[in-house]
Amino acid sequence: MRLKPRGISAVWALVLFALLLSSGPAFGEVTLIYPQDRTLVAGKSVTLYGYTDGEESFQVQVNFLKKIDVESEGFFSVEVPLIPALNVVSVGGETVRLFSLPGAKLDTFVFKTAKEETTFTSFRLHPALEEGCESCHSLEEGDLQIPEDLKETCFSCHEDFTKDDDEEEREFIHGPVAEGECVSCHTPHFSKNPKLLVEYPPGKLCVTCHDDKDPSEVEGTTIHRPVAKLECQRCHSPHASDAEYQLVRKGNSLCLGCHETPHPNHRKASTTKEMTVIPDDFPRDGEENLACIGCHSPHFSENPRLFRIPEVKLCTTCHRL
Ligand code: HEC
Ligand code: HEC
Ligand code: HEC
Ligand code: HEC
Ligand code: HEC
Ligand code: HEC
Ligand code: HEC
Ligand code: HEC
């Protein structure tokens, strides 16, 4: 029997429909941002966050059985129940594996089967997500708008740390902060690290840009202990401060915070000794004292005791032989 033209188109329509159902792009309108594949969940349910590029109704499938209908007008968040074990959740064209361990305070969990090991990671969500995606994004004809200079966006909820108590702009603002590039250090949505940091500990983050300060690159020299431990933020603010180089305290008080009484007799900026002459341009801390960093480097040095220059040369800057 010969198929009538209408019959053919009906078959094609079915084939096309099946193709649409099975291929990803048809569901491309649904974008899931959290959770991602292999997320560890500490609760009995998880909230899915994402957006659709228009009004859309779609289904969330949990463990192939449970189906939840979602009506989205753009941004959506929907809570789905989980079983306390491995869960497979499908949203639109995307499938993610989640491991639920109610009450667990783990960063990662390794799920072992006879065949393979899968590591699940837990993430800390930015509480801003609860306020809705609209606090940072808008959808224009289905296109997600991402704010560029984030100062205005982020400081709509957070205290503006580039300003002091009198609302005056601080004198020393870290380069990427001044540019509003908060996301070079923080993820806006969720992170496995505290403070939504993209790298942890914070010092590791610092040396991704300031590689000349990376202690692992300067083997063989004297490295200041807090630098060796990548505790850059003990001395520098990551954002802004009233001291040069965004230091957390000004002058010698920065050092004296950790070194109570280092060689107290050797810090005077004046002398009565004939053989001792202090050059006018030697760094000082006020009138009375020599600056610690005039003699010591704060990070590392080729010389013992972090001396800025070889010892003999340093001593003879002031002590004439
Ligand atoms: C606190 C502000 C903020 C909130 C709230 C927020 N976003 Fe974002 N989002 C950003 C920023 C900033 C970027 C750009 C990130 C970058 O450049 O690395 C971004 C990027 C994105 C991207 C691009 C891909 C990616 O992940 O980098 C998507 C998609 C997205 N957001 C969706 C959402 C959805 C959906 C929500 C609500 C569930 C949401 N965002 C909530 C600030 C936010
Ligand atoms: C150079 C990296 C860097 C940049 C750029 C940066 N931050 Fe941070 N931020 C940090 C670090 C590191 C911490 C953690 C400080 C700590 O806990 O010692 C932090 C902490 C925070 C905190 C938490 C403060 C608290 O006490 O809990 C907020 C809020 C924050 N940053 C917002 C921002 C905003 C908004 C911007 C952009 C205007 C920004 N950050 C840019 C590195 C950065
Ligand atoms: C809609 C309000 C809102 C907006 C907009 C917002 N945040 Fe937050 N953010 C919060 C709340 C609430 C907290 C939790 C309380 C706190 O730490 O202040 C938080 C916490 C944080 C923390 C600390 C997280 C932790 O683990 O302690 C960082 C870092 C942060 N936000 C960065 C940003 C950055 C960067 C932006 C801009 C891209 C931003 N926030 C925009 C509401 C917001
Ligand atoms: C995303 C890259 C990036 C990261 C991460 C970063 N910085 Fe910076 N930093 C910069 C840029 C850009 C400047 C501005 C450089 C300039 O003005 O010459 C700067 C400047 C500085 C300065 C002042 C330099 C000067 O000569 O005035 C200090 C100090 C500093 N950063 C410390 C840190 C510390 C501490 C961290 C970690 C908390 C850090 N930075 C993380 C990019 C970064
Ligand atoms: C013990 C305090 C201390 C620690 C810890 C520290 N710094 Fe510094 N840093 C200073 C001081 C003081 C200066 C002032 C300029 C100088 O004397 O070199 C400075 C200057 C800088 C500068 C600008 C001048 C330059 O040499 O390029 C950068 C960038 C910098 N530090 C990055 C870092 C990074 C990254 C870390 C962590 C790996 C770090 N600092 C740890 C005290 C410290
Ligand atoms: C966050 C705390 C901290 C700060 C701030 C700090 N230091 Fe240190 N410093 C240490 C520690 C810890 C050691 C190692 C002590 C030890 O070995 O007994 C050390 C050691 C030293 C040494 C001896 C190094 C050696 O190998 O012989 C010198 C010199 C020194 N610091 C100078 C400074 C100067 C100058 C400043 C200010 C720019 C400063 N420190 C700020 C913690 C700090
Ligand atoms: C004029 C140069 C000079 C200045 C300025 C100076 N130091 Fe020193 N520092 C030395 C010399 C020399 C030594 C080694 C001999 C000694 O211990 O007296 C030393 C040793 C140290 C040590 C190691 C002590 C030990 O027992 O090994 C620390 C810590 C230190 N200085 C911290 C500081 C701090 C903090 C300041 C500022 C308040 C400072 N220095 C200012 C020259 C200086
Ligand atoms: C910035 C100038 C300067 C530099 C550099 C300097 N000194 Fe001194 N030194 C002084 C001053 C000022 C005094 C105090 C003299 C006084 O009592 O009038 C002093 C005192 C001393 C004393 C006797 C008092 C004491 O604290 O024991 C010794 C020893 C000494 N210095 C050794 C050194 C050595 C070793 C170096 C090199 C590592 C050095 N100095 C580098 C300025 C300097």
Side-chain angles (χ1 to χ4, degrees):
M1 193 187 121
R2 218 170 61 94
L3 280 171
K4 278 178 267 169
R6 201 146 51 95
I8 291 171
S9 63
V11 168
W12 271 113
L14 259 176
V15 170
L16 272 176
F17 187 64
L19 271 173
L20 277 171
L21 274 182
S22 60
S23 64
F27 294 95
E29 296 94 349
V30 186
T31 307
L32 184 68
I33 64 152
Y34 181 87
Q36 50 181 225
D37 190 29
R38 284 175 288 145
T39 295
L40 176 63
V41 180
K44 289 179 185 154
S45 66
V46 68
T47 304
L48 312 179
Y49 292 98
Y51 77 102
T52 52
D53 60 5
E55 278 186 41
E56 207 78 49
S57 53
F58 62 92
Q59 272 190 339
V60 177
Q61 239 188 55
V62 188
N63 299 326
F64 308 107
L65 294 169
K66 199 172 174 62
K67 293 186 172 68
I68 299 161
D69 291 313
V70 183
E71 298 291 333
S72 167
E73 288 178 13
F75 299 115
F76 68 83
S77 67
V78 52
E79 194 180 343
V80 302
L82 300 174
I83 54 164
L86 179 65
N87 294 261
V88 178
V89 176
S90 298
V91 187
E94 213 178 321
T95 298
V96 294
R97 288 164 292 169
L98 311 175
F99 207 99
S100 158
L101 283 176
K105 289 199 179 99
L106 297 173
D107 292 335
T108 55
F109 172 73
V110 181
F111 179 59
K112 288 182 195 147
T113 62
K115 266 200 282 176
E116 57 183 3
E117 290 185 1
T118 313
T119 304
F120 290 80
T121 308
S122 73
F123 296 94
R124 302 151 205 253
L125 267 66
H126 189 186
L129 292 184
E130 284 163 31
E131 307 276 324
C133 317
E134 294 88 343
S135 37
C136 300
H137 297 289
S138 61
L139 282 168
E140 280 168 25
E141 291 174 10
D143 285 335
L144 184 79
Q145 306 297 309
I146 293 173
E148 273 177 24
D149 185 334
L150 290 172
K151 276 181 285 187
E152 207 185 306
T153 311
C154 306
F155 294 147
S156 67
C157 292
H158 292 284
E159 196 191 318
D160 184 348
F161 43 66
T162 65
K163 304 229 167 72
D164 62 19
D165 295 342
D166 302 325
E167 288 296 299
E168 296 283 331
E169 179 120 320
R170 287 190 197 278
E171 206 175 332
F172 301 98
I173 300 174
H174 193 201
V177 172
E179 298 293 321
E181 291 167 5
C182 314
V183 290
S184 52
C185 296
H186 298 286
T187 59
H189 306 137
F190 57 88
S191 167
K192 63 183 185 336
N193 301 318
K195 308 287 177 195
L196 297 167
L197 291 173
V198 297
E199 274 286 350
Y200 200 78
K204 217 169 141 195
L205 175 67
C206 308
V207 298
T208 58
C209 291
H210 300 284
D211 54 353
D212 63 327
K213 298 284 184 294
D214 189 342
S216 65
E217 300 284 315
V218 292
E219 294 276 313
T221 63
T222 316
I223 303 175
H224 199 192
R225 186 78 57 85
V227 173
K229 287 164 76 183
L230 279 174
E231 295 174 342
C232 314
Q233 80 279 16
R234 296 286 296 267
C235 294
H236 297 280
S237 159
H239 299 139
S241 92
D242 296 325
E244 205 179 352
Y245 305 108
Q246 305 113 242
L247 290 168
V248 294
R249 278 185 297 275
K250 283 185 182 168
N252 287 0
S253 64
L254 175 71
C255 315
L256 295 169
C258 289
H259 300 286
E260 276 180 35
T261 48
H263 52 84
N265 304 325
H266 201 184
R267 295 175 355 217
K268 279 189 277 175
S270 61
T271 177
T272 50
K273 303 250 178 353
E274 232 170 80
M275 295 301 280
T276 301
V277 180
I278 307 170
D280 286 342
D281 61 353
F282 195 89
R284 283 155 214 266
D285 182 42
E287 297 277 302
E288 304 274 294
N289 296 306
L290 298 170
C292 314
I293 56 169
C295 293
H296 300 287
S297 167
H299 305 116
F300 36 73
S301 156
E302 295 288 339
N303 309 304
R305 294 205 179 84
L306 297 167
F307 290 139
R308 278 205 178 267
I309 52 174
E311 193 163 356
V312 179
K313 241 174 137 187
L314 175 66
C315 314
T316 52
T317 331
C318 301
H319 299 295
R320 305 288 151 89
L321 298 173

